[in-house]
Amino acid sequence: MKMVFAYVLGTLILLPIITFFIAYLIFRKFLKKKANYSFRLAADVTTFFLFFSVVISISTLWGTTISIAAITISFLIAIIMTFIDWRTQKEIKVIPLLRRIWRVQFVYLFLVYNIVWIVGIVQNILLFIT
């Protein structure tokens, strides 16, 4: 049973798109809300898996550990968004700010994940050809 759980968790971390679709289908089925709401919740769940996926993918492809860099960039995004929120609004509303930060993290990590995979695939194809 432990091995099945480990394989499922490993697949969800390695392929967060599967995590996104599973979460979307579950939220869509059980919450009976609009598709936009289910999409947002699925993105929130997937963000957690993307943190690990990007770090593991880069570590596997190039043998470099970027955990500290990923955490630093995430904190910088949070700091910049908090500063912008502080400058544009009279009062900072914490929950909406955290939600926006988390969703920007999703976009950032999703883009990095796709770039890493595309570069990795191209790199391996070029190694295979030569």
Side-chain angles (χ1 to χ4, degrees), residues 27-62:
F27 290 134
R28 184 82 171 152
K29 173 94 172 148
F30 291 113
L31 294 181
K32 309 250 188 241
K33 299 236 179 176
K34 293 182 180 179
N36 289 341
Y37 187 71
S38 298
F39 185 87
R40 286 185 220 131
L41 287 177
D44 291 343
V45 170
T46 307
T47 303
F48 176 75
F49 289 97
L50 277 169
F51 274 114
F52 297 108
S53 182
V54 167
V55 171
I56 291 171
S57 296
I58 290 174
S59 175
T60 302
L61 286 173
W62 297 297

Side-chain angles (χ1 to χ4, degrees), residues 38-100:
S38 298
F39 185 87
R40 286 185 220 131
L41 287 177
D44 291 343
V45 170
T46 307
T47 303
F48 176 75
F49 289 97
L50 277 169
F51 274 114
F52 297 108
S53 182
V54 167
V55 171
I56 291 171
S57 296
I58 290 174
S59 175
T60 302
L61 286 173
W62 297 297
T64 3
T65 307
I66 63 148
S67 302
I68 301 296
I71 292 169
T72 304
I73 291 170
S74 296
F75 277 130
L76 283 174
I77 289 171
I79 289 168
I80 291 168
M81 290 187 67
T82 304
F83 181 76
I84 290 170
D85 201 43
W86 172 65
R87 296 298 270 169
T88 57
Q89 297 180 5
K90 291 182 180 179
E91 184 178 325
I92 295 177
K93 296 175 184 159
V94 177
I95 300 298
L97 175 63
L98 290 175
R99 198 172 290 134
R100 282 194 306 275

